[in-house]
């Protein structure tokens, strides 16, 4: 049976760089505190009126198509994972398709917070495996600066903006996305969420004054759940595919906090030099972290490399994927 293989990857981050030094002038924090607790040195921020997640997603998709020499009309489906859609509707995937000239195909958004890219990858791969489609694009794009409170020193240090896109195509060589696990637990909803802006609390003067339109995070609770569940789900996918730490060429973890990444790698028995790390330069770009990792490390990947992708996000959501690199 055909498997869905990643046949190309492209990423995009905005030009503007928000450094720890600049944050020191905005809130009561400092570089040493931020770096020691998160591993983040800088993050990229999308500037410009009317610019949303779709603008970054479109840049990533356009770069991907050009790189693979694939015409927009050859694409069968596009799925966008985002927590920061341009609008409530239409979906960001629709907007990306319009921007890059992809017409008359299915396109929709997935919202699973920081696990969104893994969720979208799981869904997209099934369209390939069933033989229904030949070319499926998965995008992770988030403009987290749009929902970040830059007066809250506990959260404003964490997030950045960016996008990444992969092409999925059939593979019969035993390469590609070989297994995925996705999980959730809605009991974690109050630990990491944006309270207002949806149908439960539509925008009002009161919700704006209470700053409910910004991301809220109960840091200690999220850290505890993330460490356990990201490590557990990674260990689970390794166990059911008879993998040891020595078998895994690369761990591709969601980039939320370096301490969470280190704990996950330790649990899996993977050495630090085989862990993809971009958090120092991009921060947490939510659904874009994993594709941006793959984009950054693409030149180091070899055909047949065994990768474990792992993520944890608000909801709570979490998941992992076992991938054999196809090129």
């Amino acid at each position: 049976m055909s498997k869905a293989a990643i046949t190309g990857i492209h990423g995009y981050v905005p030009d503007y760089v928000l450094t720890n030094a600049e944050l020191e002038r905005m809130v009561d924090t400092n570089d040493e505190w931020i770096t020691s607790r998160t591993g983040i040195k800088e993050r990229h921020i999308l500037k410009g009126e009317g610019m949303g997640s779709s603008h970054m997603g479109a840049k990533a998709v356009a770069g991907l198509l050009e790189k693979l020499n694939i015409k927009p009309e050859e694409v069968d489906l596009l799925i966008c994972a985002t927590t920061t859609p341009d609008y409530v509707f239409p979906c960001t995937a629709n907007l990306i398709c319009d921007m890059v000239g992809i017409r008359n195909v299915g396109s929709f958004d997935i919202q699973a917070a920081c696990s969104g890219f893994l969720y979208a990858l799981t869904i997209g791969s099934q369209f390939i495996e069933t033989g229904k489609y030949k070319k499926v694009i998965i995008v992770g794009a988030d403009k987290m600066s749009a929902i970040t409170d830059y007066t809250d020193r506990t959260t404003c240090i964490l997030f950045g903006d960016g996008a990444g896109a992969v092409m999925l195509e059939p593979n019969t060589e035993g390469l590609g996305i070989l297994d995925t696990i996705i999980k959730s637990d809605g009991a974690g909803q109050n630990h990491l969420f944006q309270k207002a802006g949806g149908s439960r609390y539509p925008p009002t003067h009161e919700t704006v004054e209470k700053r409910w339109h910004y991301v809220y995070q109960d840091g200690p609770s999220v850290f505890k759940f993330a460490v356990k569940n990201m490590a557990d789900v990674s260990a689970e996918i390794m166990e059911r595919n008879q993998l040891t730490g020595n078998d895994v060429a690369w761990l591709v973890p969601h980039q939320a906090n370096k301490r969470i990444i280190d704990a996950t790698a330790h649990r899996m028995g993977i050495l630090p030099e085989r862990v993809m790390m971009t958090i120092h330069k991009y921060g947490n770009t939510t659904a874009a972290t994993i594709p941006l990792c793959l984009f950054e490390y693409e030149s180091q990947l070899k055909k047949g490399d065994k990768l474990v992708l792992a993520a944890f996000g608000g909801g709570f959501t979490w998941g992992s994927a076992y991938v054999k690199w196809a090129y």
Side-chain angles (χ1 to χ4, degrees), residues 69-311:
N69 195 27
I70 290 174
K71 296 180 176 63
E73 54 267 29
E74 296 179 62
V75 176
D76 298 309
L77 177 71
L78 186 144
I79 306 172
C80 178
T82 184
T83 303
T84 53
D86 289 39
Y87 308 116
V88 174
F89 68 91
C91 69
T92 302
N94 294 168
L95 305 178
I96 292 171
C97 284
D98 181 58
M99 290 175 180
V100 300
I102 297 173
R103 310 286 177 202
N104 301 315
V105 304
S107 64
F108 57 90
D109 290 355
I110 289 292
Q111 213 292 60
C114 299
S115 308
F117 183 79
L118 276 182
Y119 269 61
L121 201 67
T122 300
I123 295 166
S125 66
Q126 295 178 69
F127 284 96
I128 298 288
E129 290 177 3
T130 61
K132 186 172 183 65
Y133 294 137
K134 300 296 184 187
K135 288 179 171 59
V136 174
I137 294 177
I138 308 297
V139 187
D142 269 302
K143 184 185 177 183
M144 289 303 293
S145 62
I147 59 169
T148 297
D149 183 352
Y150 287 98
T151 67
D152 178 6
R153 69 175 190 155
T154 64
T155 55
C156 73
I157 63 173
L158 301 174
F159 298 105
D161 303 337
V166 300
M167 179 70 73
L168 299 182
E169 296 184 84
N171 182 284
T172 55
E173 301 176 85
L175 304 172
I177 301 161
L178 303 186
D179 194 10
T180 63
I181 301 170
I182 53 175
K183 297 189 178 187
S184 70
D185 183 354
Q189 60 186 284
N190 292 329
H191 296 298
L192 178 54
F193 72 124
Q194 179 187 334
K195 188 166 186 175
S199 59
R200 187 177 292 195
Y201 295 104
T204 64
H205 288 295
E206 183 183 15
T207 64
V208 172
E209 288 169 3
K210 289 184 175 180
R211 309 185 83 78
W212 285 0
H213 294 267
Y214 295 119
V215 61
Y216 166 80
Q217 176 171 278
D218 173 8
S221 296
V222 172
F223 183 87
K224 181 178 69 175
F225 277 88
V227 167
K228 181 181 188 305
N229 288 310
M230 234 171 89
D232 282 354
V233 78
S234 300
E236 181 181 348
I237 207 158
M238 289 173 66
E239 183 178 342
R240 73 188 207 181
N241 289 281
Q242 293 81 54
L243 297 171
T244 68
N246 291 330
D247 297 321
V248 179
W250 292 99
L251 169 63
V252 191
H254 169 55
Q255 308 284 304
N257 182 302
K258 187 176 183 297
R259 291 185 295 165
I260 296 173
I261 295 169
D262 290 344
T264 302
H266 179 74
R267 169 79 180 276
M268 297 169 67
I270 294 176
L271 297 173
E273 56 266 30
R274 290 191 281 121
V275 179
M276 293 190 185
M277 196 82 71
T278 60
I279 191 169
H280 57 291
K281 59 196 292 189
Y282 298 142
N284 182 353
T285 56
T286 308
T289 64
I290 288 177
L292 280 175
C293 277
L294 294 173
F295 178 59
E296 286 281 317
Y297 283 79
E298 184 183 24
S299 63
Q300 299 182 54
L301 293 170
K302 300 186 294 293
K303 187 175 181 178
D305 276 354
K306 296 174 181 177
L307 279 58
V308 172
L309 284 53

